[in-house]
Amino acid sequence: MSNILKISKEDIIYHLKISCQIPSLLEAIATRKIITETAKKEGISIEIAELQQSADNLRLVNNLIKADDTWEWLKKHYLSLDNFEEIANLNLLSAKLAHHLFADKIEPFFYAHQISYSGAVTYEVILDDEDLALEIFYALQEGEISFQEVARQYIQNPEIRRAGGYQGIRKRSDFRPEVASAVFAANPPEMIKPVTTPKGVHIIIVEEIIAPQLNEQIRVGILGDLFTNWLKEQINKLEIMATLGDEINSPVSPIEIFSEAS
């Protein structure tokens, strides 16, 4: 028996169909077309030096340090050098289009949603029993036990247990809504009354509330979100017609699918 397995274009399309990947594939194709056509309409151009930098970034992201690494990567993904340049071009075009459309909307968005970018430094222990949680909470308030002792006794994760329940700096969106309301209403340093969620009963010390600042990381995040949402809006306006073999978006009749079940 031969060790070579030959796969045709038809095999690939068929697999995409039966694995239900066609919709996401069509959305990705539509996204690429929207980006390229809008960039052309907006007069966005790319300089050779910019394209070279984008190609270098693409190699860096994929850890393609040596020429042989690049050739192996291209072979693995069935890509040519021209395809590689197209990927670098699309990456750069996406970034430039996002900046062109939304760079001046980042600050207004940030200040309109400033509360979402607040941070909190917390320590947390989650218990299964509400009565036990209240008992420990009052014992902590009275100084009968330390939070570190509670953490050592009730936290299963070794690293978090060793850190005394330290959760680091977390954004408001990182908390469940009921927990976020209590945490960001605290007057640090303060231990808030136990909060019950589907995960259990949370005993939380709020060490610090960090006021939001529009740093580079947040700028990039907002720009990405605005651009992604815009792309989704553009796609939702489209009726995508795909030609797959002899069929053009011709779904099977529900009567045929469910005839046996009925």
Side-chain angles (χ1 to χ4, degrees):
M1 180 178 175
S2 173
N3 290 326
I4 298 175
L5 176 63
K6 294 184 178 180
I7 297 176
S8 67
K9 293 179 182 179
E10 290 74 20
D11 291 328
I12 295 170
I13 293 175
Y14 181 71
H15 178 77
L16 289 171
K17 278 185 175 182
I18 64 173
S19 58
C20 303
Q21 296 183 60
I22 292 293
S24 59
L25 179 64
L26 295 180
E27 184 172 318
I29 294 171
T31 298
R32 175 169 56 82
K33 289 180 177 292
I34 289 167
I35 290 171
T36 54
E37 290 175 10
T38 306
K40 183 178 180 180
K41 179 182 176 182
E42 296 293 325
I44 295 173
S45 59
I46 291 177
E47 303 295 332
I48 296 298
E50 292 178 316
L51 183 58
Q52 181 61 58
Q53 183 60 56
S54 181
D56 291 343
N57 292 340
L58 182 57
R59 279 191 286 269
L60 185 62
V61 166
N62 290 283
N63 199 31
L64 307 177
I65 308 302
K66 301 177 181 177
D68 287 345
D69 298 332
T70 303
W71 285 115
E72 284 300 317
W73 186 84
L74 291 173
K75 183 179 178 182
K76 176 183 176 181
H77 293 281
Y78 291 83
L79 296 169
S80 66
L81 279 175
D82 286 342
N83 295 146
F84 186 87
E85 184 176 317
E86 288 170 14
I87 296 171
N89 185 79
L90 183 62
N91 289 345
L92 180 56
L93 210 56
S94 298
K96 295 188 77 168
L97 179 60
H99 189 271
H100 175 78
L101 294 176
F102 298 109
D104 60 344
K105 295 177 175 60
I106 294 174
E107 288 193 18
F109 184 91
F110 173 77
Y111 290 112
H113 302 83
Q114 200 165 357
I115 190 171
S116 300
Y117 297 97
S118 299
V121 179
T122 60
Y123 292 78
E124 179 180 64
V125 173
I126 304 176
L127 302 172
D128 295 327
D129 187 289
E130 187 173 2
D131 291 335
L132 176 60
L134 284 170
E135 181 182 331
I136 291 174
F137 173 72
Y138 291 122
L140 286 166
Q141 281 192 322
E142 296 298 322
E144 298 172 3
I145 190 173
S146 71
F147 197 87
Q148 286 73 20
E149 290 174 299
V150 175
R152 281 197 297 269
Q153 187 172 350
Y154 293 102
I155 294 178
Q156 300 299 317
N157 184 293
E159 292 185 7
I160 299 177
R161 183 174 63 242
R162 294 188 193 105
Y166 179 62
Q167 300 294 307
I169 301 173
R170 301 168 71 190
K171 295 188 299 183
R172 192 181 188 94
S173 59
D174 294 329
F175 296 93
R176 292 185 61 89
E178 59 269 43
V179 176
S181 298
V183 166
F184 288 93
N187 185 24
E190 180 184 354
M191 180 172 58
I192 61 177
K193 192 172 182 180
V195 180
T196 302
T197 75
K199 291 183 66 176
V201 187
H202 303 245
I203 302 176
I204 300 173
I205 291 179
V206 183
E207 183 176 86
E208 183 182 359
I209 299 294
I210 301 174
Q213 293 183 345
L214 185 54
N215 56 32
E216 187 59 27
Q217 182 180 359
I218 291 177
R219 281 183 179 275
V220 170
I222 292 174
L223 182 62
D225 290 342
L226 291 174
F227 188 52
T228 298
N229 291 336
W230 175 79
L231 285 170
K232 288 179 180 178
E233 290 175 2
Q234 304 310 304
I235 289 172
N236 289 337
K237 297 175 183 177
L238 299 175
E239 180 183 359
I240 301 174
M241 301 293 291
T243 303
L244 304 175
D246 296 329
E247 301 174 358
I248 301 180
N249 282 19
S250 54
V252 178
S253 166
I255 296 175
E256 295 179 47
I257 295 175
F258 299 113
S259 58
E260 292 184 8
S262 60

